[in-house]
């Protein structure tokens, strides 16, 4: 597949852009221990957005990997996870705030550290939301690629260190035109004391055509099939 | 072993300044003053009270499931849990809870999610997000839109998550008359949809009323 575009998101960095449907977006961890937080909105109506509860309960899962899809609050598929070398991406750990980052890793300022200061998920997302005409009211639970957070039987949340290795990659296939916002900031549950953020490459190419009979995401469960049918209906009507 | 934290309240219904029953499938929007205490009673057991909160002085700041569970590093809500907004502001603290566990990951049912979860012909069925939107449409408060419907709390719902990453809808751990009670720290808008879901066995396919009581302290 020929890359249409490629970029590297530095540790602490952020990016947003519109990615049309039918694209394959591959995120690659360039070092061990990556965590890339994603927010996703329908590019033509951002009030439709990635919905963590709808995604998890339709697929009876609290983690996301190959075969799973990312559903909107409107019963449609925003993107499919077509490939994932990690086996677990975290939909419940959330994003960091300035207060958490200062407390865990120490206070850093632009005045002292210039661009080496520690960025946080909330500030990164806020900037990119405002850039797209949205605001902090549109902040929602993100999907954290490359991170594993599990819950024990009493609900306590645990981050698994060493889950992501250098070279791990996750590929999404876009099913609607997306506004994608990414923040390369630590998982809030990561216990490491040094600021744990490493560069992640994003590469976009054309997706393979969807084979309805054997596509792993379409056929993962009947819930996914119906969410795709809702998505196809949207495209049929819109033309 | 699963441990449930059950804490009873000393407050008496006759001392409440507000007392209302929300019938199955109905909604409710109300403003709490700082220091007021809200109790939600699961009158017949195993009902889901889908609930959202907003900072009334800053309506852009909604209840955040993620901020709340991250603060306590636990996905379940019970007595002692403080409910936070997306910005990390403290909205309310749960001070009594005779159910012992409430869900914060399952979200609200909607017409569209019903088509995904059950069947396309469920589109017409009554659902929580329609109730939320009808409450917003009918209230005098024009500050709220669909974009403000963040993932909500399901009081009395049991949605266990396994260490292997599964998620299931179990029969409730609630019972007739079980309640949850919380104190507001700031002026807080409460938006409830008393879930009308008829496709999920956890309420025995029979949605039932909840009661809301408010005390001044
Ligand atoms: Zn519902």
């Amino acid at each position: 597949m020929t890359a249409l575009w490629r970029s590297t998101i530095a540790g602490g960095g952020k990016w947003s852009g519109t990615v049309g449907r039918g694209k394959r977006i591959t995120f690659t961890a360039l070092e061990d221990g990556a965590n890339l937080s994603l927010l996703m909105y329908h590019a033509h109506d951002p009030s439709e957005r990635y919905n963590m509860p709808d995604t998890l309960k339709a697929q009876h899962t609290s983690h996301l990997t190959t075969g799973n899809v990312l559903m909107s609050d409107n019963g449609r598929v925003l993107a499919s996870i077509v490939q994932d070398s990690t086996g677990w991406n975290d939909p419940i750990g959330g994003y960091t705030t300035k207060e958490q980052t200062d407390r865990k890793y120490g206070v850093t300022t632009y005045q002292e550290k210039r661009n080496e200061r520690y960025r946080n998920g909330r500030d990164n997302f806020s900037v990119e939301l405002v850039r797209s005409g949205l605001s902090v009211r549109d902040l929602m639970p993100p999907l954290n690629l490359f991170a594993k957070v599990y819950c024990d039987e009493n609900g306590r949340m645990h981050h698994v260190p060493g889950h992501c290795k250098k070279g791990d990659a996750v590929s999404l296939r876009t099913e609607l035109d997306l506004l994608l916002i990414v923040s390369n900031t630590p998982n809030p549950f990561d216990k490491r004391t040094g600021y744990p953020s490493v560069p992640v490459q994003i590469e976009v190419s054309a997706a393979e055509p969807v084979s309805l009979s054997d596509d792993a995401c379409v056929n993962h469960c009947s819930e996914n099939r119906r969410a795709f049918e809702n998505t196809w209906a949207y495209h049929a009507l819109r033309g | 072993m699963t441990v449930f934290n059950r804490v009873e309240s000393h407050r008496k219904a006759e001392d409440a300044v507000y007392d209302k029953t929300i019938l199955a499938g109905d909604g409710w929007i109300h403003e709490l003053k700082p220091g007021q205490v809200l109790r939600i009673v699961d009158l017949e057991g195993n009902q889901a009270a889908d609930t959202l909160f907003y900072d009334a002085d800053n309506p852009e700041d909604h209840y955040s499931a993620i901020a709340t569970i991250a603060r306590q590093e636990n996905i379940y809500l019970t007595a002692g849990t403080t409910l936070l907004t997306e910005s990390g502001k403290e909205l309310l603290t749960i001070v009594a809870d005779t159910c012992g566990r409430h869900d914060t990951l399952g979200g609200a049912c909607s017409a569209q999610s019903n088509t995904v979860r059950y069947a396309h012909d469920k589109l017409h069925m009554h659902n929580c997000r329609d109730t939320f939107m009808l409450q917003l449409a009918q209230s005098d408060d024009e500050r709220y839109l669909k974009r403000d419907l963040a993932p909500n709390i399901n009081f009395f719902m049991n949605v266990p998550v396994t260490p292997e990453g599964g998620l299931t809808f179990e029969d409730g751990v609630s019972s007739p008359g079980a309640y949850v009670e919380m104190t507001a720290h700031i002026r807080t808008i409460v938006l409830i949809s008393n879930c009308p879901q008829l496709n999920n066995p956890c309420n025995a396919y029979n949605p039932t009323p909840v009661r809301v009581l408010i005390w001044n302290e």
Side-chain angles (χ1 to χ4, degrees), chain A residues 14-17 124-135:
Chain A
K14 58 182 168 52
W15 179 82
S16 71
N124 277 351
F125 283 150
S126 299
V127 171
E128 297 304 317
L129 286 166
V130 170
R131 184 193 309 286
S132 291
L134 301 171
S135 78

Side-chain angles (χ1 to χ4, degrees), chain A residues 73 95 137-138 153 229, chain B residues 1 86 120 146-148 165:
Chain A
D73 62 287
Y95 55 83
R137 73 197 281 196
D138 299 291
E153 63 184 3
E229 287 164 355
Chain B
M1 203 191 82
E86 200 72 45
H120 288 299
K146 195 203 84 158
R147 68 196 279 207
D148 300 299

Side-chain angles (χ1 to χ4, degrees), chain B residues 31-199:
Chain B
E31 184 182 305
L32 295 176
K33 307 276 182 286
Q36 284 193 323
V37 176
L38 169 70
R39 179 189 292 179
I40 307 173
V41 187
D42 185 4
L43 289 173
E44 297 183 31
N46 290 346
Q47 180 56 10
D50 290 44
T51 306
L52 275 168
F53 298 102
Y54 302 89
D55 173 356
D57 293 314
N58 181 12
E60 294 206 344
D61 206 10
H62 50 246
Y63 161 76
S64 168
I66 290 294
T68 300
I69 67 180
R71 159 83 75 96
Q72 59 174 7
E73 299 191 2
N74 192 300
I75 56 167
Y76 302 122
L77 311 182
T78 185
T81 302
T82 294
L83 309 177
L84 305 182
T85 65
E86 200 72 45
S87 75
K89 189 180 277 187
E90 296 188 347
L91 284 170
L92 313 104
T93 296
I94 301 179
V95 292
D97 175 20
T98 62
C99 174
R101 176 186 280 188
H102 306 272
D103 162 60
T104 199
L105 296 184
C109 63
S110 75
Q112 291 74 25
S113 74
N114 282 345
T115 72
V116 171
R117 293 186 66 203
Y118 307 112
H120 288 299
D121 68 5
K122 307 294 186 190
L123 185 71
H124 72 287
M125 291 179 72
H126 205 44
N127 65 80
C128 283
R129 256 174 277 175
D130 280 5
T131 300
F132 284 149
M133 290 190 279
L134 187 60
Q135 287 297 315
L136 296 182
Q138 290 176 341
S139 86
D140 295 332
D141 201 329
E142 293 176 356
R143 299 176 298 176
Y144 299 99
L145 301 173
K146 195 203 84 158
R147 68 196 279 207
D148 300 299
L149 298 180
N152 57 283
I153 297 171
N154 292 311
F155 285 114
F156 311 116
M157 274 285 286
N158 187 22
V159 184
V161 165
T162 66
E164 294 73 37
L167 177 145
T168 51
F169 287 78
E170 298 282 319
D171 281 348
V173 291
S174 185
S175 55
Y179 58 83
V180 59
E181 199 172 282
M182 59 210 99
T183 302
H185 299 295
I186 57 174
R187 230 159 55 84
T188 300
I189 302 284
V190 188
L191 176 59
I192 292 180
S193 164
N194 189 16
C195 185
Q197 184 55 256
L198 290 171
N199 298 288

Side-chain angles (χ1 to χ4, degrees), chain A residues 41 46 156 234:
Chain A
Y41 303 82
R156 183 149 288 278
Y234 167 82

